[in-house]
Amino acid sequence: MIVRTKLYIPYVRHDVVGRPRLIRKLHEGMQVKLTHVSAQAGYGKTTMLSEWAKQCDVPVAWVSLDKRDNDYIQFWSGVTASIQETVPSFGEAICSFLERGLWASLEHAIPALLNDLDQLTSKLAIVLDDYQFIENSGIHDSLTYLLERLPSHVHLFIASRNELAIPTARLMATGQLNQITMQDMRFLLDEGQAFFRDTTDLELTTEQVAELHHQTEGWISGLELAAISLKQSANIAESIYQFNGRQHHISDYLLEEVFSHLSEDMRSFLVDTSILSRLNHSLCQAVTGRQDSQRYLERLEQLNLFIIPLDDQRNWYRYHHLFSDFLQRMGARTDTNNWVQAHRNAADWLERNGLDEDAMEHYLAGSHYEDAVRLIEKNLDMLVQSESIAFIRWMSAIPELFFAEKPMVELFYITVMSGIGNHEAASLRIEKARVRFQALKGKLIEAEWKQAMGNIYFFSAVDSFLKKDLVKASEYYERVEHYMPEGSVFQTMWRYQYVGYDPFTDYLAHINDLHAADVFLSRWVAALEHKTQYPLAGTFFAAYSKLLYEWNRLEEAERYANLALGRKDIRPYVRIFIQVVTSASWIQQALGNPDKASELLSDLESQLDSPEYQLFMLKIEAEQACLALRQGATEEALVWLRGCGLAHTDEVSLHHALEYMAYARVLAASGQLEDALDLLGRLNQLLRKEDCLRDRIKVLIMQSVTLQHLGRTADALEKLETALQLGGPEGYARSFVDEGVVMTELLSTYLKTRSAKPVRNTTRDTLVYVRQLLQVFQASSVPQISHTNLLTEQETKIVQLIADGLPNKEIAIRLNITGETVKSHIKNVYRKLEVNNRVRALQRSRELRIL
């Protein structure tokens, strides 16, 4: 929930000292991407930015940040909400991603935000005040990404006490960084003179102001404190003499001086309310018990005592951070019980008024852990769905004994940890929870205890699976069966969410040992086949059909794919259903049923029911493009290539590895071989680093084929050898066979050259494996692939023109290329088709269904 006062441009007092030189410098920020205002507390960053924002002739979106914004979802939700204050229709796309949790947001929220910003028709300034509270590296990285691609009509202003934790060298080098430093923010002597003359009742000499300015080094809060203190002084000259030492010493000295001259009631009010990040009279009344809290707030504003109105109506205020820190230090020295009670009073009021997150902070600060756990239980569904970092921070702050007998709280905690990718911490909690839950036997009613045990064993199975220990995972699934035969409720978490490269639904993307996978999967597809309401079964069936497909056991693979397609329980679970359908499509294509293969993917489009429809469609359309290539519909694949929004220069991530693999395949088929090779090289590095064997083998095979098309046979054989050595022990077959005739040629060449003259890496087992693969090709009566992707698009056009009877000169004119280029293409066609004349080239093209 976004607190609206955080989005208001702070109120500016009418008697503030004008600083036209800094206002001009801020106006310069409307010519660059980023303006950074950097200075310690008390230099007037917020005041200056507020004054500029009120004068600015373009819309200003403002966010006052605090420690609760150190959460990816919360931060970008706040930024989006601030823009909506000025552009109400803004941000539908990014909001939809942020509402779906961290997985969807990390990959897609900022691109969606950039697209929405790009569509704005006028200039926009975005102010992030107090950015020093942000320490989350994910926020820093996403902000860096945003700045690199920020539309020219959008300008970012960041105020912080320290240097930014994002790289700014490139912005500086390109003239896109406007810096306002602490040196700029200091009051000049004439500004100090104006401050004492125009905003205080003190009659100081020029020399006295100069001395104060010298002692404080132009530090604005120091001068403000000095003014307040001097009003109470009987000897101004002596008091000024006392102001010595560095800034923080002056701060402590002056704050204590000011504080000591206030009435005891006012001091008590300040200390009690200093725990609040934002305050109004009703909240202050709840915390202090004082019915006249509004009078105290108005009196503080009259005294100019470091209280900042957050709206023009003066309903909400906050203390200056410097003053708040001082007051909290004072409070820590007072009665601890009073301090604890103040937090409870604040939390009660905030919870009653629907501000549960703020209430939670006070429950924790006051060590009211029972209420903290109660509030978590009240908001469990929302906290888990949003994958809130705050939830993890709260749970970490609560001693375990307060939720030791609340298994669901612990289980949801583990779920969120897993959801944000913190698997190591989740694993440790799972181990501890198993022991604790066992000890709850007899304390919980039997049904609740069995549910707790079934769920924790489910998490234990998932944890073992992620560690690639399938034996242990199977043992834990056995225990889930014992305690909860209907399955864990957690098996269907995030049913609609797109997760990209997902080990939870695409098992073979994660498990490298196919023989161990065979034992594991065959055990569980048999156990789950007759359970009719067990959606997780879909992942087992999909994985097992893919495994059997890879081993070229097509009829068995078809059986399990069809069993999954016939289950009603998995259809609502988009992530699982997509795996089933894509596997079934591969199998039908390999069995010689291309129309059925296409129909499965086409029907899947109409069956999708997910808020993340577009993300799932990217995956489905990539599958369709690859299928189109295999069926000879090259132009259909090229249409996808041009419109998919991917590029070979993109930074590849595991999240979209499969889509980029498809992109590389179609890129090569279009004749852009070098670009495809560059992309495949980066994919190979990524998949090797992430230990994703299946897809690394596929990428190595594509590299080999692409190199062969480029005429680099020696390099192609080297990549092929690596793929063979990785794939041989696991029995990979279809990954090679599906490449068609070009792979037959490569394998034959490999066998011929390595048998005649083995190289250091060649083994007898590898040569045996190659012979087995060639036998698979020979034994296959159904054409496994159309060979249109053997030739590039341009080469295919040339073969067609040759078939039309055109000479080289006419072909050159038709294709707008030189005669020498035509000759070069024809030479490549002859080499790839293993022919030496036009007549044989046309015969071979028809045999391979290129024509």
Side-chain angles (χ1 to χ4, degrees), residues 797-841:
K797 289 179 180 176
I798 287 172
V799 171
Q800 185 63 60
L801 293 172
I802 290 173
D804 292 341
L806 272 64
N808 288 3
K809 186 175 181 180
E810 186 65 24
I811 292 173
I813 294 170
R814 288 281 188 94
L815 299 180
N816 195 27
I817 56 178
T818 66
E820 286 301 314
T821 302
V822 173
K823 289 180 183 179
S824 177
H825 280 307
I826 291 175
K827 184 179 178 181
N828 284 336
V829 169
Y830 287 177
R831 175 180 57 79
K832 292 178 182 180
L833 299 182
E834 295 186 330
V835 297
N836 55 17
N837 60 58
R838 285 188 168 212
V839 173
R840 186 72 188 101

Side-chain angles (χ1 to χ4, degrees), residues 17-18 35 77 114 187 330 332 401 531 679 694 729 780 816 825:
V17 174
T35 295
S77 296
L114 283 165
F187 263 177
M330 295 295 291
L401 66 95
K531 291 179 182 285
L679 176 55
R694 179 195 69 183
S780 180
N816 195 27
H825 280 307

Side-chain angles (χ1 to χ4, degrees), residues 611-794:
E612 296 174 12
Y613 176 85
Q614 293 300 328
L615 297 180
F616 284 116
M617 279 306 302
L618 179 61
K619 180 179 180 62
I620 294 168
E621 288 168 354
E623 288 284 351
Q624 289 174 316
C626 291
L627 182 63
L629 284 183
R630 293 182 65 191
Q631 295 180 350
T634 307
E635 187 54 42
E636 187 179 319
L638 296 182
V639 169
W640 173 79
L641 183 77
R642 292 188 286 267
C644 67
L646 306 180
H648 77 277
T649 54
D650 291 346
E651 182 179 343
V652 294
S653 68
L654 198 60
H655 200 62
H656 282 303
L658 297 179
E659 287 91 329
Y660 278 104
M661 286 168 63
Y663 186 82
R665 183 179 292 281
V666 182
L667 201 62
S670 74
Q672 301 176 65
L673 299 173
E674 292 291 354
D675 290 344
L677 206 56
D678 173 65
L679 176 55
L680 288 168
R682 287 182 287 120
L683 281 166
N684 186 22
Q685 290 177 354
L686 171 69
L687 294 165
R688 182 177 184 176
K689 177 186 173 186
E690 299 292 340
D691 191 29
C692 301
L693 182 65
R694 179 195 69 183
D695 295 314
R696 186 177 172 222
I697 289 171
K698 290 179 182 292
V699 166
L700 284 163
I701 290 170
M702 282 194 281
Q703 286 179 299
S704 176
V705 170
T706 306
L707 287 164
Q708 179 72 354
H709 286 325
L710 283 166
R712 295 166 56 183
T713 301
D715 293 333
L717 293 179
E718 186 179 325
K719 293 295 182 187
L720 177 62
E721 184 161 66
T722 304
L724 290 167
Q725 289 171 346
L726 293 172
E730 305 306 324
Y732 276 84
R734 293 303 313 188
S735 292
F736 294 92
V737 172
D738 287 344
E739 296 297 329
V741 68
V742 66
M743 181 53 63
T744 309
E745 295 165 353
L746 275 167
L747 290 169
S748 299
T749 303
Y750 179 88
L751 189 61
K752 182 178 178 181
T753 57
R754 295 299 196 261
S755 297
K757 188 179 180 181
V759 298
R760 184 176 61 182
N761 293 333
T762 306
T763 66
R764 184 184 300 274
D765 289 343
T766 302
L767 296 175
V768 171
Y769 179 40
V770 171
R771 292 188 184 96
Q772 291 171 343
L773 289 173
L774 288 170
Q775 287 172 4
V776 173
F777 275 103
Q778 292 167 6
S780 180
S781 59
V782 178
Q784 301 298 335
I785 187 167
S786 172
H787 302 288
T788 47
N789 61 340
L790 177 62
L791 303 181
T792 67
E793 183 182 18
Q794 191 79 317

Side-chain angles (χ1 to χ4, degrees), residues 284-565:
C284 290
Q285 180 178 317
V287 170
T288 65
R290 300 174 188 271
Q291 300 298 314
D292 54 351
S293 292
Q294 183 63 36
R295 183 175 64 83
Y296 281 90
L297 293 172
E298 291 172 359
R299 178 59 179 154
L300 288 170
E301 193 175 0
Q302 290 168 4
L303 291 170
N304 193 21
L305 198 56
F306 291 90
I307 188 168
I308 300 168
L310 296 178
D311 54 53
D312 291 338
Q313 292 74 37
R314 288 176 168 76
N315 291 324
W316 286 90
Y317 298 83
R318 73 167 173 88
Y319 293 128
H320 191 290
H321 297 310
L322 191 74
F323 194 38
S324 178
D325 292 345
F326 167 79
L327 291 173
Q328 289 184 44
R329 288 198 300 274
M330 295 295 291
R333 303 174 197 168
T334 61
D335 183 5
T336 305
N337 292 331
N338 185 54
W339 194 250
V340 168
Q341 187 59 45
H343 278 295
R344 170 171 283 288
N345 294 342
D348 288 344
W349 187 94
L350 290 162
E351 188 177 355
R352 285 198 309 274
N353 285 272
L355 300 170
D356 285 2
E357 290 188 29
D358 295 87
M360 176 62 76
E361 300 294 342
H362 287 287
Y363 282 136
L364 292 176
S367 301
H368 302 293
Y369 299 125
E370 296 92 341
D371 288 293
V373 172
R374 175 184 54 76
L375 201 54
I376 285 173
E377 288 184 291
K378 171 183 168 185
N379 292 283
L380 263 182
D381 286 344
M382 179 274 293
L383 290 169
V384 173
Q385 203 62 32
S386 65
E387 295 168 350
S388 170
I389 301 296
F391 180 33
I392 290 180
R393 178 168 56 80
W394 296 338
M395 289 294 292
S396 300
I398 300 171
E400 289 186 358
L401 66 95
F402 288 93
F403 56 87
E405 296 186 9
K406 296 181 180 295
M408 289 305 289
V409 173
E410 177 72 77
L411 291 166
F412 274 91
Y413 185 20
I414 292 168
T415 301
V416 172
M417 280 186 166
S418 299
I420 66 171
N422 195 352
H423 298 300
E424 189 174 338
S427 181
L428 292 173
R429 293 212 70 89
I430 289 167
E431 289 182 25
K432 291 180 180 179
R434 277 202 308 270
V435 176
R436 284 213 311 275
F437 288 10
Q438 283 280 7
L440 292 177
K441 187 172 186 179
K443 296 182 180 179
L444 300 178
I445 63 174
E446 184 73 6
E448 286 183 8
W449 181 75
K450 282 188 173 183
Q451 185 183 52
M453 294 308 300
N455 281 321
I456 198 59
Y457 283 133
F458 172 76
F459 279 118
S460 299
V462 171
D463 183 45
S464 297
F465 174 82
L466 290 175
K467 294 173 180 174
K468 304 189 179 184
D469 185 347
L470 297 185
V471 173
K472 204 73 176 172
S474 197
E475 290 176 4
Y476 284 126
Y477 275 126
E478 294 277 7
R479 297 182 191 183
V480 175
E481 282 288 282
H482 174 73
Y483 286 103
M484 195 180 288
E486 74 281 7
S488 169
V489 66
F490 291 96
Q491 67 175 293
T492 56
M493 292 294 293
W494 306 294
R495 58 190 285 181
Y496 301 115
Q497 285 191 9
Y498 178 85
V499 181
Y501 202 89
D502 182 11
F504 295 110
T505 51
D506 186 4
Y507 286 175
L508 297 190
H510 180 68
I511 299 300
N512 296 340
D513 186 341
L514 296 193
H515 302 291
D518 181 31
V519 174
F520 176 73
L521 292 170
S522 60
R523 158 74 182 89
W524 287 102
V525 294
L528 301 177
E529 183 174 346
H530 303 294
K531 291 179 182 285
T532 58
Q533 294 299 320
Y534 206 104
L536 188 64
T539 61
F540 288 97
F541 281 96
Y544 198 43
S545 65
K546 288 182 182 182
L547 174 60
L548 294 169
Y549 173 83
E550 185 60 56
W551 283 349
N552 204 39
R553 291 159 56 179
L554 299 181
E555 288 75 16
E556 294 173 82
E558 183 184 27
R559 174 179 178 267
Y560 285 103
N562 287 342
L563 281 173
L565 288 172

Side-chain angles (χ1 to χ4, degrees), residues 11-51:
Y11 174 78
V12 180
R13 293 172 61 91
H14 70 278
D15 58 355
V16 69
V17 174
R19 311 193 73 184
R21 63 186 176 89
L22 294 182
I23 297 297
R24 283 195 300 273
K25 196 157 179 61
L26 285 172
H27 280 314
E28 291 171 10
M30 295 303 294
Q31 308 304 316
V32 300
K33 287 186 176 183
L34 174 63
T35 295
H36 180 213
V37 182
S38 174
Q40 289 299 313
Y43 277 90
K45 300 183 294 297
T46 299
T47 300
M48 180 187 69
L49 276 165
S50 300
E51 184 181 3

